[in-house]
Amino acid sequence: MTQRADEIAANLSAVRRRIADACREADRGEDEVALTVVTKFFPASDVRILADLGVRDVGENRHQEAAAKVAECADLPLVWHFIGGLQSNKAAAVASYADVVESLDRAKLVAGLQRGAHDRGHEVDVLLQVSLDPPGAEHRSGADPADLAGLADAVEASGALRLRGLMAVAPLGEDPAAAFTRLAAIRSELLRTHPGATELSAGMSGDLEAAIGHGATRVRVGSAVLGPRPPVQ
Ligand SMILES: *Cc1c(COP(=O)(O)O)cnc(C)c1O
């Protein structure tokens, strides 16, 4: 193995160990929590190393970078998760290569995603991104929890999108456990009206243990596997 492959392999085992430990701590089975490795800012050669190490799910957050990497890695048996902010004029393009779109946060995006998925002839899995910011916070990334049921209805009414669950990012400057406690309640509420929306994508390099403790079924880990990214994003 190359030095880079050794480094990624070691980091990946450490992350898998953290996930296993958190599952044990939370009295959950290890197989209840899946890992997406977030490859944004890292080259396709790293994605190849990950695939060799048995990683199946990878995540990207920027359309142009994602599209190029998916094309470069077309021979690999990967599941591509789009986890970044979506512009409505890019939604169809994203759905043309993403297998899972985790960042649907407004109804306006549904038509574009639906069109991209339909043109490609594949169903695309969708997670609704919900904001965990306190009410009234200036910058909200994700839907208001009050809007989720309506968004979920819109996804279910579309032919080529499959509603799978929720995605969230813990706000900066707050104990992630408190944010994920709110997330667990939001999820229970959504499950009452949309019982198929069972997936919960939450937890990153810094807070995956707290997310697993509050029901995450998938963690999205970047820097703990691939190393630090450039500071400006
Ligand atoms: C970058 C990113 C991650 C991974 O973050 P790390 O702290 O590097 O693990 C997870 N989720 C989203 C939405 C991201 O944009």
Side-chain angles (χ1 to χ4, degrees):
M1 284 211 276
T2 64
Q3 194 183 334
R4 179 63 174 152
D6 283 342
E7 180 189 352
I8 293 176
N11 289 345
L12 188 62
S13 342
V15 165
R16 287 186 169 141
R17 237 179 350 258
R18 281 176 63 191
I19 294 171
D21 287 348
C23 286
R24 202 169 318 112
E25 186 75 19
D27 259 325
R28 303 180 59 197
E30 232 180 280
D31 57 354
E32 291 178 48
V33 181
L35 169 66
T36 299
V37 178
V38 179
T39 50
K40 67 191 187 199
F41 283 92
F42 290 96
S45 54
D46 281 356
V47 179
R48 242 163 235 290
I49 290 171
L50 290 166
D52 279 347
L53 292 168
V55 169
R56 193 188 66 126
D57 294 272
V58 290
E60 287 285 334
N61 74 335
R62 297 206 289 198
H63 165 57
Q64 278 191 320
E65 180 185 350
K69 240 177 267 181
V70 172
E72 276 182 89
C73 297
D75 58 313
L76 300 175
L78 293 168
V79 175
W80 292 89
H81 296 245
F82 191 84
I83 60 172
L86 274 166
Q87 292 167 266
S88 41
N89 62 347
K90 301 277 165 56
V94 168
S96 73
Y97 59 78
D99 302 294
V100 187
V101 173
E102 300 200 4
S103 42
L104 175 53
D105 64 356
R106 53 199 193 280
K108 210 180 153 195
L109 297 168
V110 171
L113 290 173
Q114 153 74 21
R115 182 155 32 85
H118 178 268
D119 289 352
R120 173 192 181 192
H122 279 272
E123 290 193 321
V124 170
D125 285 349
V126 165
L127 303 184
L128 308 181
Q129 182 175 357
V130 63
S131 169
L132 298 178
D133 291 335
E138 258 175 51
H139 178 76
R140 303 186 67 94
S141 63
D144 190 306
D147 296 334
L148 284 180
L151 254 185
D153 288 340
V155 171
E156 286 187 333
S158 78
L161 306 178
R162 277 187 304 223
L163 179 70
R164 292 300 197 192
L166 291 176
M167 184 272 254
V169 178
L172 289 175
E174 187 193 6
D175 173 12
F180 293 141
T181 300
R182 291 199 297 281
L183 178 59
I186 293 165
R187 179 199 196 191
S188 305
E189 181 66 24
L190 181 67
L191 281 169
R192 290 198 309 126
T193 51
H194 297 83
T198 53
E199 290 188 20
L200 185 62
S201 171
M204 325 200 305
S205 294
D207 58 15
L208 67 89
E209 286 84 0
I212 290 171
H214 292 88
T217 62
R218 173 172 297 282
V219 293
R220 308 175 308 269
V221 180
S223 49
V225 174
L226 294 170
R229 289 182 294 271
V232 179
Q233 298 199 14

